[in-house]
Amino acid sequence: MTVRISITVNGRRFDRDVEPRQLLVHFIRDLGGFTGTKIGCDTSQCGSCTVLLDGVAMKSCTCLAVQADGSEVITIEGLAKEGQLHPLQEAFWNKHGLQCGFCTPGMIMASHELLRTNPKPTDDAIRHGLAGNLCRCTGYQNIVRAVREAATAMAK
Amino acid sequence: MSSRIFGSGIRRREDPRLITGAATYTDDLTMPGMLHAVMLRSPHAYAKITRIDTSRARQAPGVIASYTGADVNLNAMPCAWLPPNSSLKIAKYPTVAVDTVRYVGDIVAVVVAETPEQGYDALELIDVEYRPLNASLDPQKSCAPGAPQLHEDVPSNLAFQWTVSGGDVDAAFKNADVVVKERIVQQRLIPNAMEPRAALAKWAGASGELTLWNTTQNPHILRYLTSVVTGIAEDKLRVIAPEVGGGFGCKIPAYPGEFLAIFASRKLNRPVKWTETRSENYQATTHGRDHVQEVELAATKDGTILGIRARSWSAMGAYLSTAAPGIPTILHGLMLSGVYNVPAIKEDVYGVYTNATPVEAYRGAGRPEATFIIERMVDKLAAELTMDPVAVRQKNLIPKFENGHSVATGLTYDSGDYPGILKKLLDHVNYEALRKEQAAARTAGKIMGIGVGTYVEICGLGPSQVASAVGFQGGLWESAIVRVHPTGKVNVFIGASPHGQGEETTFAQLVAAEIGVAVDDVKVVHGDTETTPMGWGTYGSRTTAVGGAALVLATRKVKEKAKLLAAHLLEAAVEDMDYDDGKFFVKGSPDKAKTIQDIALMANLSWNMPPGMEGGLEASMFYDPPNFTYPFGAHLAVVEIDGDTGDVTLKRYVAIDDCGPQINPIIVEGQVHGGVVQGIGQALWEEAVYDANGQLVTGSMLDYALPRADRLPNIEVLSTVTPSPHHPLGLKGIGEAGTIASTATVYNAVMDALAPMGVKTLRMPFTPERVWRAIHAGGKSGGN
């Protein structure tokens, strides 16, 4: 059995027949071809699959594609506008906020949510805000620095 | 500018693709006609397969094929580190279990389907009957009489027995005023590279060529081993490590998954991809550590160390993974002297088969365990003698040396200033004031602890002759090709395979610094056996220490040829030539210089070459180091414990490391951050727990406690610079340093905090429950 749904990913509309059990993250990667969104676990712990669903961050492995019918998804590929990196992307680059890069798309999208809800976070607030995203390379310290720099840049 | 590029903290050139989602990891790859392999894994730790029937699965929608152990004709999985004089017994490790499963996660059958979902659905339709057997998990008990035997040809489950010995240990203990003892449990850990493992195999039937994309730290070794397991000739095999999302050791070995993808691709003549789930990763991607050690340290009453005697039982899991036997032996036992004068050392190591996931290298690989032993025992000695732990360290440290110091285990450290780095640490934190602060905190009822850890590590693996002597079935040199194009742009091809460490940037910095091109004009190519020279891979903090040396020397060859050609073009004698920042000129005439770009063009055109000089501007280097490198450091942790809950808060962490000169200090700092946090994870939170039946209780990220951002302080990172005397630039390596130091440092801090309650020993990780119980049991705690 399949269900016809329509999801817009990074401004492109995808009308597709999907199995009801299909996760949003698989829709994004396999049908949308946006492989920047990563799958790092199967228990919604790692946050590598974090995307914006109608502007709000969510782990796209916790959502069925059919639940996102009619929604607009922004992934890491949709964050830069007209070749201009988003301040978060720029800050992760400046502050060496990534090493292997696998958690990075989810980490940046979660940071996007953090700054949307708290534009001037303390380091402590950044650390708590990102506690749902796992990184094994950086020890988080440069990620905290990056989010702080992005917050400053975005406040200007 | 180029002369200052060495040591500059420039941004990484890897990052633009990674921060925009443009990078391609193995699982991101797709191709026409691609099929998906999924694995049925054993739910039992030890059982006989009495019946297996895949007929229903084969009829399921989308299923193209299924294979059991009887169908797969691959050679057995290879073990490639064979420690000598160890009575090594390599049990047969089939890619798919034939009649016996030996750990939860052992592959029982493979299904190949049009989609992964169809494959997983079909797994449900495979009928398997098992006759469960008693499992054996504890390495000490598994080699004791009466334990279940895992492999017919391995009595007592003893995979190997290895001894390191130097100096007169018996005399040391006979002459000792004090002997301190400890039983140490180095718990089993799950590496948790954020990218699960994946493989995509594409067989080209017409040409008999096979391309494998794989999440590997060492594509050249994998090609070699793939040839052994599949029988495909190496020249027909191409292994590509695309973007690789972290390794930490677990992506060194070869695994059944990639070979089964190859097997299926050949059978079906279609591309086959296999990607593990995180649950599979926890069950079947290699784990780390899992040792039990009984250690004694002998000393005089003034705190002088006389000797160390230890026995170590190292669980290997159900089979020997590719490099596993070398970890608890060579990389561990030889490092037991640490930064100290220890006249006599003896350790007996027992490698034991257990009904658990095979172990492998895990960040630090043997060296954290060695560091833990010596650093823990030094603190025990201090407690026994009521001396300050720092004073005991200072009493026993090897004095500063610049060109070689031999220790009892037979190694010759390259260079070190251990007293200097410890002093820098004490000054930085104002150690005396910190101890006073602790005393005041204790008076105020707080539970505060200070831990100090010093370390030296062996890395930059290593001289190939030594590799041979210690049974490593490979060379350990590294390679680089430097190719200067007609426009003066440079491609560098390296045999090592970075996967997050940033060598695309730092290696470009090395080339830029050597021949004066802009760093942006150098592109570093790695990870593809078809385009890069043979190399042994990225692990053991060796890419910069060995591969970097190969690159520097290859670049110097290019520079030497450029100088000859410049002299010819300027009609000057070579000995009259001078060089500065990318320009070659006759001494005293810098205005008539030939730039490296001018020379690259002329070399590639070859219109006017000196007699006998070949065209092109390119050089290669296969560099075999004369010794290992020995980075070192001194770390300090401050913890506070909530007496009501047992919760440990890490209040402060200071890391001072010496990896020699730093190509890019920002990247060095990042390596330290990550390494330190991984070691903190072992001390405070992480453990792979099996129940008595061999079920992995911590089977997901819900149950296995990884470090999270909100549980960590900002780490203070400092450094000293002691060049290695044998590396062309003095570089030593920094990948594992943090992990090697931090577990023992944090452990010592927690034990220091609990000392007033009479707690003398406690098993890691320091979960709140364990700490709370220790506080309430006081000196009566069961400890390790």
Side-chain angles (χ1 to χ4, degrees):
Chain A
M1 188 188 92
T2 58
V3 181
R4 187 77 172 170
I5 61 169
S6 171
I7 300 176
T8 301
V9 185
N10 300 328
R12 278 171 61 194
R13 188 174 140 167
F14 294 89
D15 297 305
R16 293 287 188 276
D17 298 312
V18 301
E19 285 189 65
R21 65 176 172 174
Q22 182 170 50
L23 297 174
L24 178 60
V25 66
H26 288 128
F27 185 96
I28 292 167
R29 284 177 56 85
D30 301 342
L31 300 182
F34 293 101
T35 56
T37 303
K38 299 300 180 211
I39 302 171
C41 74
D42 38 29
T43 50
S44 299
Q45 291 294 300
C46 78
S48 299
C49 65
T50 307
V51 299
L52 304 183
L53 183 66
D54 293 328
V56 178
M58 75 121 56
K59 292 178 178 177
S60 59
C61 73
T62 61
C63 177
L64 297 167
V66 292
Q67 292 175 291
D69 185 21
S71 296
E72 196 159 323
V73 172
I74 302 290
T75 71
I76 189 70
E77 290 98 330
L79 213 51
K81 292 277 179 269
E82 290 158 10
Q84 194 72 33
L85 292 178
H86 187 278
L88 272 165
Q89 291 171 310
E90 195 76 49
F92 269 69
W93 190 11
N94 288 339
K95 293 296 175 187
H96 188 29
L98 61 146
Q99 291 179 26
C100 84
F102 195 83
C103 77
T104 309
M107 200 62 85
I108 288 177
M109 301 317 271
S111 303
H112 188 281
E113 178 72 5
L114 173 68
L115 295 183
R116 186 181 69 82
T117 52
N118 181 3
K120 289 183 186 171
T122 60
D123 279 10
D124 213 33
I126 296 170
R127 285 182 176 277
H128 279 90
L130 297 179
N133 287 67
L134 296 172
C135 170
R136 194 57 152 170
C137 294
T138 65
Y140 304 103
Q141 191 153 326
N142 285 340
I143 292 174
V144 175
R145 286 175 177 162
V147 175
R148 199 195 309 143
E149 178 182 284
T152 307
M154 288 163 75
K156 280 177 187 162
Chain B
M1 179 256 169
S2 58
S3 57
R4 289 191 302 276
I5 195 67
F6 186 99
S8 174
I10 58 170
R11 300 194 297 185
R12 296 200 319 169
R13 61 184 41 195
E14 288 89 342
D15 291 358
R17 65 178 188 262
L18 297 168
I19 55 179
T20 56
T24 304
Y25 298 80
T26 303
D27 186 47
D28 300 337
L29 292 162
T30 184
M31 52 185 59
M34 186 174 80
L35 298 170
H36 298 265
V38 295
M39 311 297 173
L40 182 69
R41 295 181 180 278
S42 169
H44 297 285
Y46 194 17
K48 291 286 175 192
I49 301 171
T50 53
R51 192 177 75 89
I52 183 161
D53 180 357
T54 59
S55 56
R56 286 199 300 148
R58 282 202 300 274
Q59 305 304 317
V63 171
I64 305 297
S66 75
Y67 309 108
T68 67
D71 305 318
V72 176
N73 60 353
L74 295 165
N75 291 323
M77 297 293 295
C79 178
W81 199 334
L82 320 175
N85 307 317
S86 69
S87 309
L88 182 68
K89 292 184 183 63
I90 302 173
K92 189 177 180 190
Y93 179 2
T95 48
V96 180
V98 178
D99 52 13
T100 310
V101 289
R102 294 185 176 86
Y103 71 98
V104 172
D106 222 352
I107 296 173
V108 172
V110 187
V111 166
V112 184
E114 296 284 354
T115 71
E117 291 80 7
Q118 289 170 329
Y120 288 122
D121 287 348
L123 291 186
E124 307 284 329
L125 303 174
I126 298 177
D127 298 312
V128 193
E129 282 176 13
Y130 297 96
R131 182 163 56 79
L133 303 167
N134 288 330
S136 196
L137 277 300
D138 178 285
Q140 256 177 323
K141 291 177 187 159
S142 293
C143 60
Q149 187 171 326
L150 269 68
H151 300 279
E152 270 178 21
D153 47 352
V154 187
S156 304
N157 298 316
L158 210 52
F160 55 84
Q161 183 178 344
W162 179 88
T163 298
V164 59
S165 179
D168 191 340
V169 174
D170 292 338
F173 278 82
K174 204 159 69 185
N175 298 330
D177 300 321
V178 277
V179 173
V180 286
K181 300 181 181 185
E182 180 85 316
R183 182 171 187 271
I184 295 167
V185 176
Q186 282 282 342
Q187 78 270 30
R188 182 175 270 259
L189 302 171
I190 301 180
N192 276 290
M194 290 311 300
E195 178 203 26
R197 291 189 324 96
L200 169 59
K202 182 171 185 279
W203 172 252
S207 61
E209 294 179 23
L210 187 286
T211 306
L212 174 71
W213 291 262
N214 184 237
T215 50
T216 177
Q217 297 175 223
N218 28 253
H220 290 278
I221 292 183
L222 183 58
R223 179 177 59 175
Y224 182 30
L225 297 179
T226 300
S227 171
V228 171
V229 173
T230 65
I232 302 170
E234 261 186 298
D235 64 306
K236 302 287 197 300
L237 271 172
R238 178 180 186 183
V239 175
I240 300 172
E243 209 75 60
V244 176
F248 313 111
C250 77
K251 291 174 182 171
I252 294 172
Y255 288 89
E258 42 263 31
F259 298 134
L260 293 169
I262 291 170
F263 174 84
S265 182
R266 278 177 93 178
K267 280 267 183 203
L268 304 169
N269 207 17
R270 289 172 68 175
V272 175
K273 183 161 81 173
W274 167 71
T275 302
E276 66 181 3
T277 63
R278 180 58 66 181
S279 303
E280 283 185 288
N281 173 275
Y282 271 34
Q283 286 187 356
T285 287
T286 52
H287 295 174
R289 317 272 196 268
D290 201 356
H291 308 169
V292 176
Q293 289 143 347
E294 292 179 356
V295 187
E296 300 170 282
L297 180 141
T300 60
K301 58 178 177 290
D302 71 347
T304 304
I305 298 170
L306 298 177
I308 294 173
R309 189 161 58 194
R311 288 188 296 167
S312 180
W313 290 262
S314 302
M316 293 285 103
Y319 307 100
L320 296 180
S321 180
T322 308
I327 314 302
T329 52
I330 313 299
L331 291 177
H332 167 73
L334 299 180
M335 288 308 294
L336 281 172
S337 192
V339 292
Y340 309 105
N341 280 311
V342 183
I345 293 172
K346 182 167 191 277
E347 185 179 37
D348 295 309
V349 179
Y350 308 93
V352 186
Y353 288 107
T354 58
N355 291 110
T357 303
V359 297
E360 247 299 342
Y362 170 61
R363 201 170 192 169
R367 291 150 290 168
E369 301 93 310
T371 302
F372 191 95
I373 285 180
I374 185 71
E375 290 303 303
R376 181 67 205 130
M377 297 314 282
V378 165
D379 263 35
K380 296 259 332 173
L381 178 62
E384 181 74 19
L385 299 172
T386 55
M387 287 175 71
D388 189 288
V390 166
V392 175
R393 283 179 172 77
Q394 286 167 328
K395 194 164 200 57
N396 291 283
L397 285 178
I398 296 166
K400 181 179 178 178
F401 60 100
E402 285 170 1
N403 201 357
H405 176 90
S406 296
V407 293
T409 57
L411 294 174
T412 302
Y413 298 171
D414 59 349
S415 60
D417 183 5
Y418 313 140
I421 207 162
L422 181 58
K423 181 174 186 308
K424 182 164 180 168
L425 176 74
L426 301 177
D427 291 346
H428 174 74
V429 300
N430 193 348
Y431 184 71
E432 274 181 38
L434 194 59
R435 283 290 179 194
K436 281 181 188 150
E437 185 188 327
Q438 179 187 33
R442 280 180 173 167
T443 308
K446 286 187 177 170
I447 309 176
M448 173 182 167
I450 300 166
V452 173
T454 46
Y455 75 93
V456 56
E457 60 154 322
I458 180 171
C459 69
L461 315 180
S464 298
Q465 281 189 1
V466 178
S468 159
V470 298
F472 183 78
Q473 302 299 298
L476 280 172
W477 43 265
E478 273 309 325
S479 59
I481 297 171
V482 177
R483 182 174 299 156
V484 190
H485 300 298
T487 54
K489 311 293 182 190
V490 183
N491 271 156
V492 168
F493 304 86
I494 58 169
S497 192
H499 42 278
Q501 297 88 345
E503 276 89 356
E504 289 177 35
T505 305
T506 54
F507 277 20
Q509 288 178 263
L510 287 181
V511 172
E514 286 291 329
I515 55 168
V517 295
V519 69
D520 288 340
D521 286 350
V522 186
K523 184 189 170 189
V524 179
V525 179
H526 61 85
D528 183 345
T529 59
E530 200 93 320
T531 58
T532 64
M534 173 74 192
W536 294 93
T538 291
Y539 46 83
S541 306
R542 66 187 301 277
T543 304
T544 295
V546 187
L551 176 58
V552 166
L553 296 177
T555 310
R556 287 179 184 171
K557 286 186 185 176
V558 163
K559 189 175 173 182
E560 198 51 42
K561 179 173 178 178
K563 190 174 160 189
L564 291 173
L565 182 52
H568 175 73
L569 295 172
L570 291 168
E571 298 177 348
V574 176
E575 47 277 16
D576 292 336
M577 293 298 293
D578 213 343
Y579 167 84
D580 182 46
D581 200 11
K583 296 184 186 71
F584 298 85
F585 49 89
V586 180
K587 280 172 190 154
S589 305
D591 50 321
K592 284 189 186 162
K594 293 286 179 191
T595 65
I596 184 76
Q597 290 83 3
D598 296 335
I599 296 164
L601 180 62
M602 293 313 291
N604 279 287
L605 294 175
S606 290
W607 288 346
N608 178 16
M609 301 291 273
M613 183 182 278
E614 292 175 20
L617 189 55
E618 171 170 334
S620 65
M621 181 72 203
F622 290 73
Y623 176 78
D624 206 334
N627 190 6
F628 301 94
T629 58
Y630 293 86
F632 58 93
H635 289 204
L636 180 137
V638 179
V639 300
E640 204 170 288
I641 296 172
D642 183 329
D644 294 331
T645 63
D647 191 37
V648 179
T649 300
L650 186 59
K651 303 292 282 187
R652 186 175 184 193
Y653 197 94
V654 183
I656 310 189
D657 300 284
D658 192 322
C659 61
Q662 301 180 5
I663 307 168
N664 184 322
I666 303 300
I667 287 178
V668 169
E669 188 194 27
Q671 289 292 313
V672 172
H673 288 162
V676 163
V677 167
Q678 242 167 322
I680 292 169
Q682 177 177 7
L684 296 183
W685 305 301
E686 298 184 34
E687 180 172 14
V689 179
Y690 284 93
D691 71 11
N693 298 319
Q695 293 295 328
L696 181 61
V697 177
T698 52
S700 81
M701 283 178 169
L702 275 166
D703 310 294
Y704 185 93
L706 284 165
R708 290 175 185 266
D710 59 340
R711 297 305 312 266
L712 295 159
N714 278 322
I715 296 156
E716 298 161 53
V717 178
L718 295 87
S719 58
T720 59
V721 177
T722 305
S724 171
H726 66 73
H727 185 284
L729 295 175
L731 312 180
K732 289 195 171 186
I734 192 64
E736 296 157 296
T739 310
I740 288 167
S742 64
T743 305
T745 303
V746 173
Y747 187 100
N748 282 341
V750 172
M751 296 312 294
D752 182 57
L754 297 176
M757 288 128 219
V759 181
K760 290 194 166 62
T761 187
L762 198 60
R763 191 189 187 288
M764 294 184 290
F766 292 130
T767 59
E769 180 189 343
R770 192 169 282 150
V771 172
W772 186 89
R773 286 184 188 280
I775 290 171
H776 287 263
K780 297 188 292 295
S781 71
N784 277 325

